[in-house]
Amino acid sequence: MSHEGIRFVSKDEQARETEETRPLPRIAVTPDKVRVLLTEGKGLEIDWTDGHRSAWSFAWLRDACPCATCIEERKKEGRKAGQPKGKPAQLLPMYTPPAKPGGAHPVGRYAIQFDWLDGHSSGIYSWEYLRRSCQCPECTFADTETAGAPN
Ligand SMILES: [Zn+2]
Ligand SMILES: [Zn+2]
């Protein structure tokens, strides 16, 4: 009897959002080094066990929050993971400080969680979700669906 092929609902939800269901080898979703560049305010960097390196800005991560509420919100607004919200046109432009977490901590051995300064912290960023959302040119070229908004 094999349990291979059985997937959890939350994982399916994430896979559907990134339109990517190709299974990744374990070494591709196992971080070797995880750096949260909190003091620099830069973002998250991961060196994967397969030798690949990924980096995400905090702004991207906040707009790619994988919690049910944020996924639902993005679906409604037709935004991809990491794509910033559109500002309502009738409002005067207001300065919104870039998203930054007050802290970050591991969730088990499979994910990382951020305590965003805006009070949101329900998103659990699994290593697999992050690897599938890698922003490097190599990965965004291979899968333009997960590419962030152009800078
Ligand atoms: Zn969220
Ligand atoms: Zn990559």
Side-chain angles (χ1 to χ4, degrees), residues 62 64-71 74 116 120-125:
R62 181 62 186 87
C65 176
C67 84
T69 311
C70 291
I71 287 180
R74 283 199 296 277
W116 298 105
H120 193 64
S121 63
S122 40
I124 292 169
Y125 298 71

Side-chain angles (χ1 to χ4, degrees), residues 68-139:
T69 311
C70 291
I71 287 180
E72 190 58 38
E73 198 181 296
R74 283 199 296 277
K75 216 179 282 173
K76 250 185 263 168
E77 295 172 11
R79 281 187 292 130
K80 289 193 199 311
Q83 199 177 324
K85 281 181 206 186
K87 301 271 190 313
Q90 70 270 28
L91 294 178
L92 288 170
M94 275 195 320
Y95 175 73
T96 35
K100 223 188 122 176
H105 51 95
V107 180
R109 296 174 61 84
Y110 75 97
I112 190 165
Q113 193 169 8
F114 296 98
D115 300 317
W116 298 105
L117 290 178
D118 62 9
H120 193 64
S121 63
S122 40
I124 292 169
Y125 298 71
S126 71
W127 304 135
E128 182 167 347
Y129 178 66
L130 288 167
R131 179 61 191 257
R132 288 189 189 281
S133 309
C134 179
Q135 298 294 294
C136 83
E138 199 185 311
C139 294

Side-chain angles (χ1 to χ4, degrees), residues 14 39 63 115 123 128 134 140:
Q14 289 184 359
T39 38
D63 286 323
D115 300 317
E128 182 167 347
C134 179
T140 50

Side-chain angles (χ1 to χ4, degrees), residues 28-89:
V29 293
T30 306
D32 182 30
K33 286 196 192 80
V34 178
R35 285 180 297 273
V36 182
L37 306 170
L38 262 189
T39 38
E40 299 94 325
K42 273 171 79 179
L44 172 69
E45 285 178 9
I46 295 179
D47 292 339
W48 302 99
T49 311
D50 68 354
H52 199 75
R53 176 179 280 198
S54 307
W56 305 262
S57 69
F58 286 133
W60 191 95
L61 291 164
R62 181 62 186 87
D63 286 323
C65 176
C67 84
T69 311
C70 291
I71 287 180
E72 190 58 38
E73 198 181 296
R74 283 199 296 277
K75 216 179 282 173
K76 250 185 263 168
E77 295 172 11
R79 281 187 292 130
K80 289 193 199 311
Q83 199 177 324
K85 281 181 206 186
K87 301 271 190 313

